Amino acid sequence: MQQHSGDAHHPRDLRTVTGTLPVSAVRGPALAHEHLTLDLDRAGDGAAILHADRHGPAVTTELAHLREEYGLGLVVELTCRGMGRRPQALARISEESGVPVVAATGWYYEPFHPAEVDGADVGELTAILVREIRDGFGDTGIRPGVLGEIGSHGEVPSEPETRVLLASAQAAVATGLSVATHAQLGHGGRAQLELLTGAGLPPHRISVGHQDLLDAPAVHRELAASGAYVAFDTVGKESYQSDTTRLRLLLALVEAGHADRVLLSCDISRHAYLRSEGGEGYGHLFRSFLPRVRAAGVDEDLIDLMTRRNPLRFLTGADTKEN
C-alpha cells in the first residue's frame, strides 16, 4: 500500500500525543490500557468521569510519581470517540508528567456509540477512522497510535458493534495500527477475534480486553495460542474480580507458555479510582500486583516481557518474541 507522505513512520516507532517516539526509548514498563481523560457518565452522578481540568492535575501527579519510582515508560490511553477523549489534555498530561502517552481512535461498545455510527456502513466507518489516523484529531496535529477500545458486550457483538469491529480491522490493515478491544466483563473475546482476523488483521495486532474478568483459563489459552494478546487490564478492580483470582488466571497462562501474549494494566475509568480520592490508582499494578506475581516465582525477565516488550510489540505490530 502506498503511504501518504504524512502517514509514513518507521515500524519501530510509536505515535504518541507529543510526537513520534522510538521503541528503544521506552526503557521502563508500560500500562497497556488506561484512561487519563474520560466521560462515560450516563447516570448523571458524575462518577464515571476523569475531567481534564478537575482531575488532570491528580492524574499528572500520579504518572510523574510512577515514572520516578517504577520507571513508567508509556501509557496506552484507550479513550476513543464518544468516550470523552481530549487529545490536547493528554498532550499536556504527558508533557507535565514526563510519561509518553499513546492515544486511540475507534468506538466503545454499543450503549456509548455516538450518532455517527447509526446507519453508517462499514466503509463509511472505516473512512472516519483512517482519516483520523492519517490527519489527526481535528486540527490538533495529534494522531492516534492505536485503535481501541473497540467494544462489544455479550458472547456475540451486536449489529452496530460488528460494523465497528469490521471497520476497525479494515482501518488497522490500511494504516498499520493495532486494535485493542473491550470485551464487556471478559465475554465475547473469541467472537471479536474471529471478526477481526476474518477481515484480514493478523492476530498479533489484536489485544482482547478484560480477560482477567473471565474465569476461563481455556479461553485465555485459546486466544493466546491464536497469536492474539490477552489483556489482564483491570488489575485492582476488586469489585469486579479479586486480584487473587487474577493472579491464579495469570499464572495459569504463564505456566502454559503464553507469557509472550500477556498485557497488564489497571483501566482507571473514574475519578474515585485515583490515589488522591482514596483509590488504588494507576500504580496498583506495580505496588501490589506485580510483587505477588514475583512471589509466585515469575522472574524479572518475564515481568519485563509482560509489562514492556509485549505492549511495544503489540503497538508496533512486530511479530517476534523480542524487541
Side-chain angles (χ1 to χ4, degrees):
M1 183 193 79
Q2 189 170 10
Q3 291 182 312
H4 293 230
S5 58
D7 190 45
H9 69 291
H10 191 277
R12 307 299 281 180
D13 290 343
L14 303 169
R15 290 181 180 179
T16 79
V17 294
T18 54
T20 300
L21 182 72
V23 166
S24 59
V26 181
R27 302 299 180 90
L31 289 168
H33 180 146
E34 294 300 341
H35 302 281
L36 307 180
T37 66
L38 180 87
D39 186 350
L40 295 179
D41 183 20
R42 290 190 300 154
D45 59 7
I49 286 177
L50 287 166
H51 191 276
D53 295 325
R54 288 200 304 275
H55 308 119
V59 170
T60 301
T61 297
E62 281 203 37
L63 296 187
H65 287 164
L66 293 175
R67 180 178 61 81
E68 293 164 9
E69 189 170 356
Y70 299 101
L72 178 63
L74 186 72
V75 172
V76 183
E77 213 279 2
L78 293 182
T79 305
C80 57
R81 301 174 73 91
M83 293 179 74
R85 184 183 60 190
R86 299 288 182 269
Q88 289 169 306
L90 297 183
R92 185 171 66 248
I93 290 169
S94 178
E95 288 167 351
E96 293 178 359
S97 67
V99 177
V101 173
V102 173
T105 188
W107 292 279
Y108 195 34
Y109 73 116
E110 186 179 358
F112 297 93
H113 283 177
E116 64 192 359
V117 175
D118 298 340
D121 64 28
V122 172
E124 291 166 331
L125 295 174
T126 302
I128 290 172
L129 298 178
V130 170
R131 185 165 57 248
E132 192 158 72
I133 291 165
R134 291 188 169 154
D135 299 338
F137 305 117
D139 59 0
T140 65
I142 298 170
R143 294 195 296 165
V146 68
L147 288 137
E149 57 180 297
I150 312 304
S152 71
H153 64 301
E155 293 302 334
V156 179
S158 68
E159 189 276 330
E161 290 167 350
T162 297
R163 279 186 281 121
V164 162
L165 282 157
L166 290 173
S168 301
Q170 292 183 14
V173 169
T175 63
L177 296 192
S178 295
V179 173
T181 78
H182 165 92
Q184 180 75 357
L185 300 177
H187 293 280
R190 286 187 286 199
Q192 290 180 341
L193 183 62
E194 187 176 338
L195 273 173
L196 293 168
T197 56
L201 186 62
H204 67 272
R205 286 170 54 196
I206 299 165
S207 165
V208 181
H210 309 324
Q211 290 309 290
D212 52 333
L213 300 179
L214 185 71
D215 192 346
V219 173
H220 300 156
R221 288 194 303 272
E222 180 184 335
L223 294 172
S226 78
Y229 288 92
V230 181
F232 280 45
D233 53 12
T234 66
V235 175
K237 289 190 170 182
E238 295 269 353
S239 63
Y240 290 92
Q241 181 78 281
S242 74
D243 274 358
T244 298
T245 298
R246 283 189 183 88
L247 180 62
R248 170 173 56 80
L249 294 170
L250 176 62
L251 293 174
L253 197 54
V254 170
E255 287 161 9
H258 295 303
D260 64 318
R261 290 295 171 232
V262 172
L263 298 177
L264 298 171
S265 212
C266 298
D267 189 21
I268 299 303
S269 55
R270 49 184 59 211
H271 58 85
Y273 290 140
L274 298 174
R275 292 275 276 179
S276 60
E277 300 197 17
E280 296 292 347
Y282 299 97
H284 177 78
L285 175 68
F286 308 119
R287 275 191 305 269
S288 176
F289 192 70
L290 288 179
R292 295 176 67 179
V293 175
R294 291 184 177 99
V298 176
D299 65 28
E300 291 304 316
D301 182 66
L302 286 185
I303 298 284
D304 181 72
L305 178 67
M306 293 187 288
T307 62
R308 186 183 65 87
R309 291 170 358 236
N310 285 351
L312 294 176
R313 284 190 298 118
F314 164 67
L315 287 170
T316 58
D319 190 21
T320 59
K321 299 215 179 235
E322 296 294 335
N323 285 312

